[in-house]
Amino acid sequence: GESVGLHLPTLSVQEGDNSIINCAYSNSASDYFIWYKQESGKGPQFIIDIRSNMDKRQGQRVTVLLNKTVKHLSLQIAATQPGDSAVYFCAENPRFGNEKLTFGTGTRLTIIP
Amino acid sequence: KAGVTQTPRYLIKTRGQQVTLSCSPISGHRSVSWYQQTPGQGLQFLFEYFSETQRNKGNFPGRFSGRQFSNSRSEMNVSTLELGDSALYLCASSQPGPDEQFFGPGTRLTVL
């Protein structure tokens, strides 16, 4: 069945270093993937997305990599800042036009000053 | 443009009661999805409404229901509350299609 999982539940990174958060998915039919950031007391906030016809997409300080061969997704955050401390979720959308998102369990990223 | 708003932000109920949560999407967004977030199960999809019709439904019992109004505002209802219904209920709105969903701050429901 569909499942989206994360390799590590927690990650601590020194401020200024780069961080990588990984995510595995099992539904090969998924064609749209999103990374969300959730801070305490807030709803998830969109960070970056990628469609299955791409293998890399860059935003401001963030890069998402998609490896369809091994069904793996990663989020790279460059030059981490204290404000990057949050829980990060990957989510997949199984097919075009379907609003249902399947979320991973989340990784808590802590930036060490 | 105002974001997604949810009311109330916090709610305390007792077992057996029912509750109604409200969500106002971003202006122009016609799709509204509801999610339940708990520490044990994470974020789980409840249902999605588009043009007043339920378009998708997750694996939740019939005690969980929802509706959408002509102005795209949505409500979800949980009847006969159980302790396990304690969670953060999140609403997200989007344009039709697999575009990003914008989440509201959530309603924290505590069932005693």
Side-chain angles (χ1 to χ4, degrees), chain A residues 26-70:
Chain A
S26 61
N27 189 344
S28 56
S30 293
D31 60 4
Y32 181 58
F33 304 87
I34 311 172
W35 280 100
Y36 283 94
K37 171 186 179 183
Q38 187 174 24
E39 297 174 277
S40 181
K42 299 182 179 179
Q45 177 186 5
F46 172 91
I47 301 174
I48 192 168
D49 61 0
I50 189 168
R51 300 194 188 277
S52 60
N53 61 352
M54 303 171 67
D55 54 21
K56 180 179 179 179
R57 192 168 187 213
Q58 288 184 294
Q60 187 177 17
R61 288 201 304 116
V62 294
T63 300
V64 55
L65 299 177
L66 175 63
N67 187 330
K68 295 181 286 295
T69 302
V70 295

Short mmCIF file of all heavy atoms in Angstrom, two decimals, chain A residues 26-70:
data_model
loop_
_atom_site.label_atom_id
_atom_site.label_comp_id
_atom_site.label_asym_id
_atom_site.label_seq_id
_atom_site.Cartn_x
_atom_site.Cartn_y
_atom_site.Cartn_z
N SER A 26 6.76 4.65 -1.32
CA SER A 26 6.58 3.31 -1.88
C SER A 26 5.69 3.29 -3.11
O SER A 26 5.68 2.30 -3.85
CB SER A 26 6.00 2.36 -0.83
OG SER A 26 4.74 2.81 -0.40
N ASN A 27 4.94 4.37 -3.34
CA ASN A 27 4.01 4.38 -4.46
C ASN A 27 4.70 4.92 -5.71
O ASN A 27 4.90 6.12 -5.86
CB ASN A 27 2.78 5.24 -4.11
CG ASN A 27 1.67 5.12 -5.14
OD1 ASN A 27 1.89 4.65 -6.25
ND2 ASN A 27 0.48 5.55 -4.76
N SER A 28 5.04 4.04 -6.61
CA SER A 28 5.75 4.46 -7.81
C SER A 28 4.88 5.29 -8.75
O SER A 28 5.38 5.91 -9.68
CB SER A 28 6.29 3.23 -8.56
OG SER A 28 5.23 2.34 -8.85
N ALA A 29 3.57 5.31 -8.49
CA ALA A 29 2.66 6.11 -9.31
C ALA A 29 2.60 7.56 -8.87
O ALA A 29 2.01 8.40 -9.55
CB ALA A 29 1.26 5.51 -9.27
N SER A 30 3.21 7.88 -7.74
CA SER A 30 3.19 9.25 -7.25
C SER A 30 3.92 10.16 -8.23
O SER A 30 4.99 9.81 -8.72
CB SER A 30 3.85 9.35 -5.88
OG SER A 30 3.07 8.66 -4.92
N ASP A 31 3.31 11.29 -8.52
CA ASP A 31 3.92 12.17 -9.50
C ASP A 31 4.17 13.57 -8.98
O ASP A 31 4.60 14.45 -9.73
CB ASP A 31 3.03 12.24 -10.76
CG ASP A 31 1.64 12.78 -10.47
OD1 ASP A 31 1.38 13.17 -9.32
OD2 ASP A 31 0.83 12.82 -11.40
N TYR A 32 3.91 13.78 -7.70
CA TYR A 32 4.09 15.11 -7.15
C TYR A 32 4.49 14.97 -5.70
O TYR A 32 3.85 14.23 -4.94
CB TYR A 32 2.79 15.89 -7.29
CG TYR A 32 2.82 17.31 -6.78
CD1 TYR A 32 3.72 18.24 -7.28
CD2 TYR A 32 1.91 17.73 -5.81
CE1 TYR A 32 3.72 19.55 -6.82
CE2 TYR A 32 1.92 19.03 -5.34
CZ TYR A 32 2.82 19.93 -5.85
OH TYR A 32 2.82 21.22 -5.40
N PHE A 33 5.54 15.68 -5.31
CA PHE A 33 6.07 15.56 -3.96
C PHE A 33 6.29 16.95 -3.38
O PHE A 33 6.67 17.88 -4.09
CB PHE A 33 7.40 14.80 -3.97
CG PHE A 33 7.31 13.44 -4.60
CD1 PHE A 33 7.47 13.30 -5.97
CD2 PHE A 33 7.04 12.32 -3.83
CE1 PHE A 33 7.38 12.06 -6.57
CE2 PHE A 33 6.95 11.07 -4.41
CZ PHE A 33 7.12 10.94 -5.78
N ILE A 34 6.03 17.05 -2.09
CA ILE A 34 6.14 18.35 -1.42
C ILE A 34 6.89 18.18 -0.11
O ILE A 34 6.74 17.16 0.57
CB ILE A 34 4.74 18.94 -1.10
CG1 ILE A 34 3.82 18.90 -2.32
CG2 ILE A 34 4.87 20.38 -0.60
CD1 ILE A 34 2.39 19.30 -1.99
N TRP A 35 7.65 19.16 0.23
CA TRP A 35 8.25 19.26 1.56
C TRP A 35 7.55 20.38 2.32
O TRP A 35 7.39 21.49 1.81
CB TRP A 35 9.74 19.53 1.50
CG TRP A 35 10.57 18.32 1.21
CD1 TRP A 35 11.10 17.95 0.01
CD2 TRP A 35 10.96 17.32 2.15
NE1 TRP A 35 11.81 16.78 0.14
CE2 TRP A 35 11.75 16.37 1.45
CE3 TRP A 35 10.75 17.13 3.53
CZ2 TRP A 35 12.31 15.25 2.07
CZ3 TRP A 35 11.31 16.02 4.14
CH2 TRP A 35 12.08 15.10 3.42
N TYR A 36 7.17 20.05 3.56
CA TYR A 36 6.56 21.04 4.44
C TYR A 36 7.39 21.20 5.69
O TYR A 36 8.04 20.27 6.16
CB TYR A 36 5.15 20.59 4.87
CG TYR A 36 4.07 20.77 3.83
CD1 TYR A 36 3.72 19.73 2.97
CD2 TYR A 36 3.38 21.97 3.72
CE1 TYR A 36 2.72 19.89 2.03
CE2 TYR A 36 2.38 22.14 2.78
CZ TYR A 36 2.05 21.09 1.94
OH TYR A 36 1.06 21.25 1.01
N LYS A 37 7.31 22.39 6.25
CA LYS A 37 7.97 22.71 7.52
C LYS A 37 6.88 23.06 8.53
O LYS A 37 5.99 23.85 8.21
CB LYS A 37 8.90 23.91 7.32
CG LYS A 37 9.49 24.49 8.60
CD LYS A 37 10.27 25.77 8.27
CE LYS A 37 10.88 26.40 9.51
NZ LYS A 37 11.57 27.67 9.18
N GLN A 38 6.96 22.48 9.70
CA GLN A 38 5.96 22.79 10.72
C GLN A 38 6.65 23.24 12.00
O GLN A 38 7.38 22.47 12.62
CB GLN A 38 5.04 21.60 11.01
CG GLN A 38 3.89 21.95 11.94
CD GLN A 38 2.90 20.81 12.09
OE1 GLN A 38 3.22 19.65 11.90
NE2 GLN A 38 1.66 21.14 12.44
N GLU A 39 6.40 24.47 12.37
CA GLU A 39 6.91 25.00 13.63
C GLU A 39 5.88 24.78 14.72
O GLU A 39 4.69 24.63 14.44
CB GLU A 39 7.24 26.48 13.46
CG GLU A 39 8.34 26.73 12.44
CD GLU A 39 8.57 28.20 12.17
OE1 GLU A 39 7.82 28.77 11.35
OE2 GLU A 39 9.47 28.78 12.78
N SER A 40 6.34 24.80 15.93
CA SER A 40 5.47 24.53 17.06
C SER A 40 4.27 25.48 17.08
O SER A 40 4.43 26.69 16.97
CB SER A 40 6.27 24.68 18.36
OG SER A 40 5.46 24.42 19.47
N GLY A 41 3.08 24.89 17.19
CA GLY A 41 1.87 25.70 17.28
C GLY A 41 1.35 26.22 15.95
O GLY A 41 0.39 26.99 15.93
N LYS A 42 1.96 25.81 14.87
CA LYS A 42 1.54 26.28 13.56
C LYS A 42 1.20 25.13 12.64
O LYS A 42 1.60 23.99 12.88
CB LYS A 42 2.64 27.13 12.92
CG LYS A 42 3.00 28.39 13.70
CD LYS A 42 4.07 29.18 12.97
CE LYS A 42 4.43 30.45 13.74
NZ LYS A 42 5.49 31.23 13.03
N GLY A 43 0.48 25.44 11.57
CA GLY A 43 0.22 24.44 10.56
C GLY A 43 1.43 24.27 9.66
O GLY A 43 2.35 25.08 9.65
N PRO A 44 1.48 23.19 8.89
CA PRO A 44 2.59 22.97 7.96
C PRO A 44 2.70 24.10 6.95
O PRO A 44 1.69 24.61 6.46
CB PRO A 44 2.22 21.65 7.28
CG PRO A 44 1.32 20.96 8.25
CD PRO A 44 0.54 22.06 8.90
N GLN A 45 3.93 24.46 6.65
CA GLN A 45 4.19 25.54 5.70
C GLN A 45 4.94 24.97 4.51
O GLN A 45 5.94 24.27 4.67
CB GLN A 45 5.03 26.62 6.39
CG GLN A 45 5.43 27.78 5.50
CD GLN A 45 6.38 28.73 6.20
OE1 GLN A 45 6.82 28.48 7.32
NE2 GLN A 45 6.70 29.83 5.55
N PHE A 46 4.45 25.26 3.32
CA PHE A 46 5.07 24.77 2.09
C PHE A 46 6.51 25.28 1.97
O PHE A 46 6.80 26.45 2.22
CB PHE A 46 4.25 25.26 0.90
CG PHE A 46 4.86 24.99 -0.44
CD1 PHE A 46 4.55 23.82 -1.11
CD2 PHE A 46 5.72 25.90 -1.04
CE1 PHE A 46 5.09 23.57 -2.36
CE2 PHE A 46 6.26 25.65 -2.28
CZ PHE A 46 5.95 24.48 -2.95
N ILE A 47 7.42 24.37 1.62
CA ILE A 47 8.81 24.77 1.40
C ILE A 47 9.13 24.71 -0.09
O ILE A 47 9.55 25.69 -0.69
CB ILE A 47 9.79 23.85 2.16
CG1 ILE A 47 9.52 23.88 3.65
CG2 ILE A 47 11.22 24.28 1.87
CD1 ILE A 47 10.37 22.88 4.41
N ILE A 48 8.97 23.52 -0.66
CA ILE A 48 9.33 23.31 -2.05
C ILE A 48 8.64 22.06 -2.54
O ILE A 48 8.32 21.16 -1.76
CB ILE A 48 10.88 23.20 -2.19
CG1 ILE A 48 11.29 23.28 -3.66
CG2 ILE A 48 11.40 21.93 -1.53
CD1 ILE A 48 12.79 23.46 -3.85
N ASP A 49 8.39 22.02 -3.82
CA ASP A 49 7.77 20.83 -4.41
C ASP A 49 8.57 20.38 -5.63
O ASP A 49 9.45 21.09 -6.13
CB ASP A 49 6.31 21.09 -4.78
CG ASP A 49 6.13 22.22 -5.80
OD1 ASP A 49 7.14 22.81 -6.24
OD2 ASP A 49 4.97 22.52 -6.14
N ILE A 50 8.26 19.18 -6.09
CA ILE A 50 8.91 18.66 -7.28
C ILE A 50 7.98 17.67 -7.95
O ILE A 50 7.28 16.91 -7.27
CB ILE A 50 10.28 18.01 -6.94
CG1 ILE A 50 11.05 17.66 -8.22
CG2 ILE A 50 10.09 16.77 -6.06
CD1 ILE A 50 12.51 17.30 -7.95
N ARG A 51 7.96 17.69 -9.25
CA ARG A 51 7.14 16.74 -10.00
C ARG A 51 8.02 15.60 -10.47
O ARG A 51 9.24 15.72 -10.57
CB ARG A 51 6.44 17.45 -11.16
CG ARG A 51 5.55 18.58 -10.66
CD ARG A 51 4.58 19.09 -11.71
NE ARG A 51 3.88 20.29 -11.23
CZ ARG A 51 2.82 20.25 -10.45
NH1 ARG A 51 2.29 19.11 -10.07
NH2 ARG A 51 2.25 21.38 -10.04
N SER A 52 7.38 14.50 -10.81
CA SER A 52 8.13 13.29 -11.09
C SER A 52 8.94 13.36 -12.38
O SER A 52 9.79 12.50 -12.62
CB SER A 52 7.18 12.09 -11.15
OG SER A 52 6.22 12.27 -12.17
N ASN A 53 8.71 14.36 -13.20
CA ASN A 53 9.49 14.49 -14.44
C ASN A 53 10.80 15.27 -14.21
O ASN A 53 11.51 15.60 -15.14
CB ASN A 53 8.66 15.15 -15.54
CG ASN A 53 8.21 16.55 -15.17
OD1 ASN A 53 8.38 16.98 -14.03
ND2 ASN A 53 7.64 17.25 -16.12
N MET A 54 11.07 15.58 -12.94
CA MET A 54 12.29 16.29 -12.58
C MET A 54 13.06 15.45 -11.58
O MET A 54 12.49 14.61 -10.88
CB MET A 54 11.96 17.65 -11.97
CG MET A 54 11.11 18.56 -12.85
SD MET A 54 10.54 20.02 -11.97
CE MET A 54 12.10 20.87 -11.71
N ASP A 55 14.37 15.69 -11.46
CA ASP A 55 15.13 15.01 -10.42
C ASP A 55 15.75 15.98 -9.43
O ASP A 55 16.30 15.58 -8.40
CB ASP A 55 16.20 14.08 -11.00
CG ASP A 55 17.11 14.81 -11.98
OD1 ASP A 55 17.19 16.05 -11.92
OD2 ASP A 55 17.75 14.15 -12.81
N LYS A 56 15.64 17.26 -9.73
CA LYS A 56 16.21 18.26 -8.82
C LYS A 56 15.48 19.58 -9.00
O LYS A 56 15.11 19.95 -10.11
CB LYS A 56 17.69 18.45 -9.12
CG LYS A 56 18.42 19.46 -8.24
CD LYS A 56 19.88 19.55 -8.62
CE LYS A 56 20.64 20.57 -7.78
NZ LYS A 56 22.08 20.63 -8.15
N ARG A 57 15.28 20.24 -7.87
CA ARG A 57 14.67 21.57 -7.93
C ARG A 57 15.25 22.40 -6.80
O ARG A 57 15.39 21.92 -5.67
CB ARG A 57 13.16 21.49 -7.80
CG ARG A 57 12.49 22.80 -8.14
CD ARG A 57 11.01 22.67 -8.29
NE ARG A 57 10.45 23.93 -8.78
CZ ARG A 57 9.25 24.39 -8.47
NH1 ARG A 57 8.47 23.70 -7.66
NH2 ARG A 57 8.83 25.53 -8.96
N GLN A 58 15.59 23.64 -7.13
CA GLN A 58 16.21 24.49 -6.12
C GLN A 58 15.34 25.68 -5.79
O GLN A 58 14.67 26.25 -6.64
CB GLN A 58 17.57 24.99 -6.63
CG GLN A 58 18.63 23.90 -6.67
CD GLN A 58 19.99 24.42 -7.10
OE1 GLN A 58 20.15 24.85 -8.24
NE2 GLN A 58 20.94 24.38 -6.20
N GLY A 59 15.38 26.02 -4.49
CA GLY A 59 14.71 27.23 -4.04
C GLY A 59 15.73 28.09 -3.31
O GLY A 59 16.94 27.93 -3.50
N GLN A 60 15.22 28.94 -2.46
CA GLN A 60 16.14 29.77 -1.69
C GLN A 60 16.68 28.95 -0.52
O GLN A 60 15.97 28.61 0.40
CB GLN A 60 15.40 31.00 -1.16
CG GLN A 60 16.30 32.01 -0.50
CD GLN A 60 15.54 33.25 -0.05
OE1 GLN A 60 14.31 33.23 0.04
NE2 GLN A 60 16.24 34.32 0.22
N ARG A 61 17.94 28.63 -0.57
CA ARG A 61 18.65 27.82 0.44
C ARG A 61 18.17 26.38 0.52
O ARG A 61 18.66 25.59 1.33
CB ARG A 61 18.56 28.44 1.86
CG ARG A 61 19.37 29.66 2.08
CD ARG A 61 19.63 29.92 3.57
NE ARG A 61 18.42 30.00 4.35
CZ ARG A 61 18.09 29.14 5.33
NH1 ARG A 61 18.89 28.12 5.63
NH2 ARG A 61 16.97 29.30 6.01
N VAL A 62 17.20 25.99 -0.23
CA VAL A 62 16.71 24.61 -0.20
C VAL A 62 16.78 23.98 -1.58
O VAL A 62 16.62 24.65 -2.60
CB VAL A 62 15.26 24.53 0.33
CG1 VAL A 62 15.18 24.94 1.78
CG2 VAL A 62 14.31 25.34 -0.53
N THR A 63 17.06 22.68 -1.57
CA THR A 63 17.11 21.89 -2.79
C THR A 63 16.40 20.58 -2.52
O THR A 63 16.63 19.95 -1.47
CB THR A 63 18.56 21.61 -3.21
OG1 THR A 63 19.23 22.85 -3.43
CG2 THR A 63 18.60 20.78 -4.50
N VAL A 64 15.54 20.17 -3.42
CA VAL A 64 14.91 18.86 -3.30
C VAL A 64 15.45 17.98 -4.42
O VAL A 64 15.57 18.40 -5.56
CB VAL A 64 13.36 18.96 -3.34
CG1 VAL A 64 12.88 19.67 -4.59
CG2 VAL A 64 12.74 17.59 -3.24
N LEU A 65 15.81 16.76 -4.04
CA LEU A 65 16.29 15.78 -4.99
C LEU A 65 15.33 14.60 -5.01
O LEU A 65 14.88 14.14 -3.96
CB LEU A 65 17.69 15.30 -4.59
CG LEU A 65 18.80 16.35 -4.55
CD1 LEU A 65 20.10 15.72 -4.05
CD2 LEU A 65 19.00 16.98 -5.91
N LEU A 66 15.03 14.13 -6.19
CA LEU A 66 14.12 13.01 -6.37
C LEU A 66 14.82 11.91 -7.13
O LEU A 66 15.31 12.13 -8.24
CB LEU A 66 12.86 13.46 -7.11
CG LEU A 66 11.85 12.38 -7.47
CD1 LEU A 66 11.28 11.73 -6.21
CD2 LEU A 66 10.73 12.96 -8.33
N ASN A 67 14.88 10.75 -6.54
CA ASN A 67 15.44 9.57 -7.19
C ASN A 67 14.34 8.55 -7.36
O ASN A 67 14.00 7.81 -6.42
CB ASN A 67 16.59 9.00 -6.34
CG ASN A 67 17.33 7.87 -7.06
OD1 ASN A 67 16.73 7.14 -7.86
ND2 ASN A 67 18.60 7.72 -6.79
N LYS A 68 13.77 8.51 -8.55
CA LYS A 68 12.63 7.62 -8.80
C LYS A 68 13.05 6.16 -8.85
O LYS A 68 12.24 5.28 -8.60
CB LYS A 68 11.93 8.04 -10.09
CG LYS A 68 11.28 9.43 -10.00
CD LYS A 68 10.57 9.79 -11.28
CE LYS A 68 11.53 10.13 -12.39
NZ LYS A 68 12.32 11.36 -12.11
N THR A 69 14.29 5.91 -9.17
CA THR A 69 14.76 4.53 -9.26
C THR A 69 14.66 3.82 -7.91
O THR A 69 14.23 2.67 -7.83
CB THR A 69 16.22 4.49 -9.75
OG1 THR A 69 16.29 5.14 -11.01
CG2 THR A 69 16.71 3.06 -9.89
N VAL A 70 15.06 4.52 -6.86
CA VAL A 70 15.00 3.94 -5.52
C VAL A 70 13.88 4.55 -4.69
O VAL A 70 13.79 4.29 -3.49
CB VAL A 70 16.35 4.10 -4.79
CG1 VAL A 70 17.43 3.30 -5.51
CG2 VAL A 70 16.75 5.56 -4.69
#
